[in-house]
Amino acid sequence: MRNLIYLSLYLICLGVVCCTKSNEEYIVQGSTTQSRLNGQRVFIVPYGNPTIEDSIGVDSTVIKDGKFEFRSRKGEYLARVTVDKHVRYGTQDLLIVTEPGVITVVIDSVSSGGGTPQNEALQSWKDLKTNRDNVHWNQSQHIKYLREQGDTVYANALADSLKNFNEHYLNQIHGIMRVLGSGTAYNLLHQRYGEPN
């Protein structure tokens, strides 16, 4: 009798867990221009702490003729699209949100994604961040060089310009967040950049 009660409770809990998962399907349609990746595995790995990865699980498929596809109803979560670690060199991992709809992914030396609202927003953020990081690095090195040469006037002016550039970058990210509204991508950006003004 006790086993029957445990079995009933287990089935009820399983039903609750299954019902909380989205019934809407997400499709990841991926491609790569790197022919060396044909026949290799590509993975969708839940992004965050190991508990999330353990609870959702990792999906994988094989790249054929430069293309791959995932279909799932596991619900919405932040995930990393990556290839097998033995062939990962020369490719860039990509963060996506597994929201309902068709998500487009290109895995390459510079990877990209889109197709759904949150993934379009993540791609906009990625593009802005790549540009910001390049400018910030170059300008910081130039400021350091100028200070080493004793040119503090030009170094300070360049530092002020860089500060304004970084503030503009933050305003752009907050603009993306305001358009997004609440959701998985918003939460990621909020964690990194704080509340929009």
Side-chain angles (χ1 to χ4, degrees):
M1 183 67 172
R2 188 169 52 177
N3 288 342
L4 185 58
I5 292 171
Y6 287 135
L7 178 62
S8 297
L9 288 172
Y10 172 76
L11 292 174
I12 289 169
C13 290
L14 183 62
V16 169
V17 169
C18 289
C19 291
T20 59
K21 290 186 179 179
S22 172
N23 286 328
E24 295 184 72
E25 183 177 54
Y26 64 84
I27 302 166
V28 176
Q29 291 181 342
S31 64
T32 182
T33 61
Q34 297 188 18
S35 58
R36 68 182 181 83
L37 295 178
N38 284 322
Q40 299 296 332
R41 289 213 159 269
V42 60
F43 301 88
I44 292 185
V45 182
Y47 183 79
N49 64 46
T51 310
I52 294 170
E53 185 177 321
D54 289 343
S55 65
I56 295 173
V58 174
D59 287 333
S60 72
T61 191
V62 175
I63 299 171
K64 295 178 184 173
D65 299 321
K67 299 193 180 311
F68 59 91
E69 183 175 284
F70 291 93
R71 290 176 175 264
S72 183
R73 296 179 186 273
K74 288 186 176 180
E76 183 177 305
Y77 58 94
L78 192 63
R80 181 172 57 98
V81 181
T82 186
V83 294
D84 188 282
K85 66 181 177 181
H86 301 296
V87 294
R88 194 173 298 156
Y89 179 78
T91 65
Q92 184 183 54
D93 290 354
L94 183 70
L95 281 180
I96 63 167
V97 175
T98 61
E99 65 183 321
V102 178
I103 303 160
T104 56
V105 167
V106 176
I107 294 297
D108 219 313
S109 56
V110 177
S111 297
S112 61
T116 59
Q118 292 188 79
N119 288 296
E120 292 289 339
L122 286 180
Q123 184 60 44
S124 294
W125 166 57
K126 181 178 184 283
D127 293 341
L128 286 169
K129 185 176 185 316
T130 299
N131 179 58
R132 182 260 174 202
D133 291 351
N134 287 337
V135 170
H136 187 84
W137 168 257
N138 290 331
Q139 295 294 67
S140 295
Q141 292 306 304
H142 193 57
I143 291 166
K144 180 181 174 186
Y145 171 78
L146 288 170
R147 288 194 171 134
E148 287 170 353
Q149 300 304 309
D151 190 347
T152 57
V153 173
Y154 187 49
N156 290 342
L158 201 53
D160 287 344
S161 176
L162 185 57
K163 181 182 174 191
N164 290 337
F165 176 79
N166 286 329
E167 287 173 0
H168 179 66
Y169 167 73
L170 183 60
N171 288 337
Q172 288 176 300
I173 301 302
H174 283 168
I176 291 172
M177 292 170 66
R178 281 190 287 274
V179 170
L180 267 176
S182 64
T184 304
Y186 179 95
N187 293 344
L188 172 70
L189 296 176
H190 182 268
Q191 181 182 8
R192 292 177 179 233
Y193 300 101
E195 195 73 31
N197 300 329

